[in-house]
Amino acid sequence: MEDGEVRRTTTASGHPAWLVGGHGTVRRLLTDPRLDVYHEDPAGAPRCFDSGPFGPPQQWTPDAADEHLRMRRLVGRSMSARRLAGLRPRIQAIVDGLLDDLAEAPRPADFHRLVSAPLPPLVLRELFGVPDDEGADFDGWLHDAISDHDPGRMVRGITGLSAYVGTLLQRRAAEPRGDVPTDLAAAHAEDPESWTMERLTRVACLVLLAGVGPTMDAIDDSLVRLSADADQWAAVREDPELVENAVEELLRLSAITAAGTRTPFGIPRWAATDVTVDGTTIRKGELVLLDIHAASHDERHIAEPDRLDVRRSGKSTLIFGAGAHYCLGAPLARMQLSILFHTLVGRFPAMRPAVPPEEIRPRDPRLAVGSTGLPVAW
Ligand code: HEM
């Protein structure tokens, strides 16, 4: 799709939408304040899916954007570069432990079950200071809560997680420690009227839910791509300094898309007012899909866009979005991926997929990302 091209389409759930795919236009519109995540009538608004992050918009209120900005400041401070640097040795230890399990597993081993699925929840346990004896429940709620395509399971997970996070906030209010719930509890102590415990519980759950699924999927997809390409795998193994570059390139190629190449899909935004984009008028309330997958494969932005080249430089990925909703966990996600691949290529120099790509089933059947199982050999 060309830059500037805004195309009329119909979403998987039968709603009208505008699809945008050129890299320049997608980036520009992600940062355009006239397109937002709010709508005056969320229940009646067009959407991609009926639940999950690609579901309906949020309720518009006059304060919604300001409250969102305050949430971002609070979470951003709590996930500071300093805190993340402190986590690095713990993430390395977690990765080492998971790869020990992988090394001992009979081959072919399921990389998804042994590594991609447990890693993000284990990292979030560190960030949130979840004690070991509560970790299994925590991981279970997280996995249930991100099952967007199975609403019953999703609601069970969110209910369990919210109750647990609420108790964690109460505990940290009584006994502070150096973790995210401590910072959230401190915000409540400073300004209990605007930072109610209920609101902070929702903020904490947002961070947790946003931090699990996409990271898991990115690990799965990156592993499939890199291990299927013996030359690129060898390049990273022989020059570990390439890992950071390789992670950017793998993230670019992993940008989310829908199952079925013709299903229109993208980061959803709703027009807050009439907006004209390169000659096309999008009316207030209409849905715009910012297709970051198409944008990441736009050959006017990047040469040979479908080819994995771990030597490509530059952080051109839109996988973390851009603008007012830019992913708050991007540095943490990058850190997990780079520690994992750094360690993996050293310890498993001959890793390769044990099944052809068409046998890998996506985690969410509506999306062509992630997996439910990833057999590998080495
Ligand atoms: C490879 C892994 C990840 C990917 C691909 C990813 C992708 C994204 C994208 C595209 C958005 C913006 C959505 C929009 O514009 O509507 C977003 C937002 C967000 N992400 Fe991530 N994310 C990842 C990992 C994480 C992690 C590890 C965390 C935290 C632990 C996290 C926390 C968040 C939060 C809190 C938001 C909401 C920001 C806001 O609304 O202002 N993400 N993420």
Side-chain angles (χ1 to χ4, degrees):
M1 225 172 147
E2 298 286 303
D3 250 356
E5 193 183 341
V6 179
R7 214 196 284 160
R8 235 345 183 179
T9 188
T10 305
T11 68
S13 58
H15 293 269
W18 296 100
L19 186 65
V20 183
H23 189 278
T25 315
V26 168
R27 177 174 286 283
R28 180 158 55 86
L29 294 184
L30 277 169
T31 55
D32 188 327
R34 296 169 302 169
L35 297 179
D36 217 330
V37 298
Y38 309 106
H39 197 281
E40 284 170 5
D41 173 24
R47 75 276 314 268
C48 258
F49 301 138
D50 288 326
S51 61
F54 303 102
Q58 299 172 34
Q59 176 68 57
W60 181 87
T61 65
D63 301 334
D66 283 350
E67 289 190 2
H68 174 247
L69 194 59
R70 293 185 66 212
M71 177 285 284
R72 282 187 67 89
R73 288 204 186 110
L74 178 61
V75 173
R77 271 202 308 274
S78 193
M79 293 188 20
S80 64
R82 194 155 160 240
R83 173 155 293 149
L84 297 195
L87 273 186
R88 186 171 268 281
R90 284 299 307 143
I91 298 179
Q92 181 69 60
I94 291 168
V95 165
D96 290 341
L98 294 175
L99 296 188
D100 288 345
D101 296 345
L102 182 69
E104 283 163 22
R107 296 172 219 177
D110 183 352
F111 191 88
H112 172 80
R113 188 177 64 79
L114 291 165
V115 183
S116 323
L119 177 57
L122 285 169
V123 169
L124 291 170
R125 284 194 207 175
E126 295 293 327
L127 197 62
F128 276 66
V130 174
D132 286 345
D133 60 345
E134 295 167 9
D137 283 338
F138 177 78
D139 298 356
W141 290 315
L142 280 181
H143 281 292
D144 287 346
I146 58 164
S147 304
D148 304 329
H149 56 292
D150 180 350
R153 183 174 171 204
M154 182 180 79
V155 169
R156 276 197 306 283
I158 292 176
T159 308
L161 192 67
S162 304
Y164 178 71
V165 165
T167 59
L168 212 50
L169 291 176
Q170 298 291 355
R171 278 190 225 161
R172 295 300 190 274
E175 219 177 302
R177 291 173 38 173
D179 53 24
V180 171
T182 300
D183 296 341
L184 299 186
H188 173 73
E190 270 170 34
D191 183 357
E193 261 179 45
S194 65
W195 287 120
T196 63
M197 281 302 199
E198 291 72 28
R199 186 165 169 222
L200 291 165
T201 301
R202 283 199 300 279
V203 170
C205 286
L206 166 73
V207 173
L208 291 170
L209 297 184
V212 180
T215 314
M216 213 162 73
D217 295 342
I219 296 171
D220 276 341
D221 289 1
S222 300
L223 190 276
V224 171
R225 283 201 174 79
L226 192 58
S227 65
D229 191 326
D231 290 347
Q232 297 290 308
W233 184 276
V236 182
R237 191 187 60 221
E238 277 151 30
D239 182 3
E241 288 198 359
L242 278 178
V243 166
E244 311 292 322
N245 249 353
V247 165
E248 288 313 304
E249 172 73 343
L250 290 163
L251 284 170
R252 178 183 70 79
L253 288 164
S254 300
I256 196 161
T257 186
T261 47
R262 287 173 194 282
T263 311
F265 186 77
I267 295 184
R269 290 289 186 267
W270 290 264
T273 174
D274 289 358
V275 184
T276 300
V277 180
D278 299 322
T280 303
T281 301
I282 299 167
R283 298 278 169 216
K284 181 177 174 184
E286 288 185 336
L287 170 63
V288 184
L289 300 175
L290 302 171
D291 186 346
I292 53 170
H293 183 87
S296 304
H297 289 75
D298 180 345
E299 55 194 9
R300 282 147 319 127
H301 175 69
I302 193 154
E304 294 184 78
D306 301 336
R307 191 167 60 85
L308 170 66
D309 177 357
V310 295
R311 291 193 171 79
R312 273 194 226 266
S313 60
K315 296 194 173 178
S316 60
T317 182
L318 288 174
I319 194 176
F320 296 112
H325 296 270
Y326 180 73
C327 177
L328 285 163
L332 182 59
R334 287 187 162 114
M335 190 191 284
Q336 291 180 65
L337 282 154
S338 79
I339 292 175
L340 174 62
F341 280 100
H342 208 279
T343 317
L344 194 62
V345 292
R347 282 187 65 179
F348 296 83
M351 179 163 283
R352 62 195 181 279
V355 294
E358 57 275 13
E359 280 180 31
I360 297 167
R361 293 199 3 251
R363 177 173 67 84
D364 178 336
R366 303 170 308 182
L367 302 175
V369 286
S371 82
T372 52
L374 200 52
V376 289
W378 58 90

